[in-house]
Amino acid sequence: KVSTGSYKRQVYEVPSGKQLVDQAVIDRITWATWTSVLGDEVIGIWSRHAEKADVNCACVSHSGINLVTGDDFGMVKLFDFPCPEKFVRTCFCMVTATSTVDIMVLPCFSRRHMIEIFASLN
C-alpha cells in the first residue's frame, strides 16, 4: 500500500507488483502494519481546519488498537484505531518543538506506556 503525492491510496499485489483496483479485495486485506495518513480507517485524525499536508505521519500500535500521529504543528496525538468518524477527539496529545515528520510505536508499548511517556514530556 502506498500513498501518492496527490493523496491517493494505491494497493499493489506482491510479488507481481500489479495494482489492485477491486475495492472488495482491498477491504478484505488485514494489514500487518499501518503507517498511512490516508484511508477510511483514519479519517478522524484530521481536525476541522487541517489541510491535506498538515498530518505527516501515522503509526498503529502492534496491538492494533492505538494510532499515533505527527503533524506540521509539532503535535503528537494518540487516537483509538480505527477512527473512521470525522473530527475525533484525541485521547492524548503532546507538543514537540518542531514539525513531526516520522513516528513509530515500539512493539513493547501499550496504551498506558504511551500516555505515561506523553505526560512525562509535556
Side-chain angles (χ1 to χ4, degrees), residues 67-117:
L67 172 72
V68 179
T69 64
D71 64 30
D72 280 348
F73 310 105
M75 304 289 274
V76 176
K77 299 176 182 176
L78 175 64
F79 296 90
D80 291 328
F81 183 81
C83 52
E85 296 180 29
K86 288 185 177 182
F87 317 125
V88 172
R89 290 182 55 143
T90 61
C91 297
F92 206 85
C93 180
M94 71 176 239
V95 180
T96 61
T98 61
S99 173
T100 306
V101 295
D102 199 10
I103 200 159
M104 184 175 86
V105 178
L106 299 174
C108 59
F109 280 32
S110 69
R111 180 186 194 88
R112 182 179 57 83
H113 288 119
M114 288 186 273
I115 290 174
E116 287 173 1
I117 290 168

Side-chain angles (χ1 to χ4, degrees), residues 29-93:
I29 296 171
T30 300
W31 301 100
T33 61
W34 186 285
T35 57
S36 179
V37 297
L38 301 178
D40 293 339
E41 300 85 348
V42 294
I43 288 173
I45 68 174
W46 302 92
S47 67
R48 289 189 192 282
H49 307 293
E51 296 179 11
K52 286 183 179 178
D54 287 347
V55 181
N56 300 319
C57 53
C59 184
V60 171
S61 64
H62 290 267
S63 63
I65 60 172
N66 299 301
L67 172 72
V68 179
T69 64
D71 64 30
D72 280 348
F73 310 105
M75 304 289 274
V76 176
K77 299 176 182 176
L78 175 64
F79 296 90
D80 291 328
F81 183 81
C83 52
E85 296 180 29
K86 288 185 177 182
F87 317 125
V88 172
R89 290 182 55 143
T90 61
C91 297
F92 206 85
C93 180

